[in-house]
Amino acid sequence: KPFRHDELVAVSGPALRLSAHAVLHIGMAIHELGTNSAKYGVLASSVGDIKITWTIETKDGMENLKLQWEETNTTGNVGLSQEQKAGFGYVVLQRATPQALGGTASLIVEKTHRAWELTAPLKECVSELSDTGN
């Protein structure tokens, strides 16, 4: 909502109660992605869309949170400059957030598409009080 383009953003996933630790780190990553979009992408041009989704997946007997940001801008303006690749936001997305949550992340940036994916153990992301059945 702070970026004033609600109609361009779709958000979906199961109800989860994130731990304070996960809120801090995932919040920083989402803020970075939103800020980049507001400067260079969909939220700057009002062209395209952003899909934010999360799922719970089981791999090798372990439940993982998989969070995805998919941004498509038909104006061809979502790429990263060399400066941005060396900046604080890039570090947040590629190292700080996944390491803090014991997971991994990938960032794909093409001319018209930006995708960030975080995979982290669910136990590192949810509050002990979480009731994922609601």
Side-chain angles (χ1 to χ4, degrees):
K1 289 194 181 231
F3 298 106
R4 305 195 196 300
H5 290 292
D6 296 2
E7 72 282 1
L8 303 176
V9 181
V11 178
S12 66
L16 294 173
R17 182 175 302 194
L18 294 176
S19 67
H21 182 72
V23 168
L24 172 69
H25 293 284
I26 291 171
M28 284 178 52
I30 296 294
H31 181 270
E32 180 60 29
L33 290 161
T35 300
N36 284 341
S37 182
K39 288 180 180 179
Y40 314 109
V42 169
L43 298 177
S45 66
S46 300
V47 177
D49 61 21
I50 298 170
K51 294 180 182 124
I52 304 166
T53 58
W54 61 95
T55 57
I56 299 170
E57 297 182 344
T58 303
K59 183 176 179 181
D60 299 327
M62 180 189 288
E63 287 187 308
N64 293 302
L65 172 65
K66 186 175 189 177
L67 173 66
Q68 297 173 299
W69 172 288
E70 298 274 343
E71 181 172 356
T72 304
N73 181 334
T74 56
T75 65
N77 191 26
V78 297
L80 287 177
S81 68
Q82 284 304 113
E83 277 181 14
Q84 290 170 305
K85 287 182 181 178
F88 175 74
Y90 191 78
V91 172
V92 167
L93 296 173
Q94 291 293 84
R95 289 198 312 245
T97 298
Q99 286 177 5
L101 298 173
T104 60
S106 66
L107 178 64
I108 298 169
V109 181
E110 298 167 345
K111 189 173 181 181
T112 61
H113 182 77
R114 179 190 324 261
W116 180 71
E117 181 176 291
L118 170 71
T119 302
L122 187 63
K123 65 181 180 161
E124 298 295 326
C125 299
V126 296
S127 168
E128 290 181 20
L129 302 174
S130 182
D131 179 4
T132 59
N134 289 336

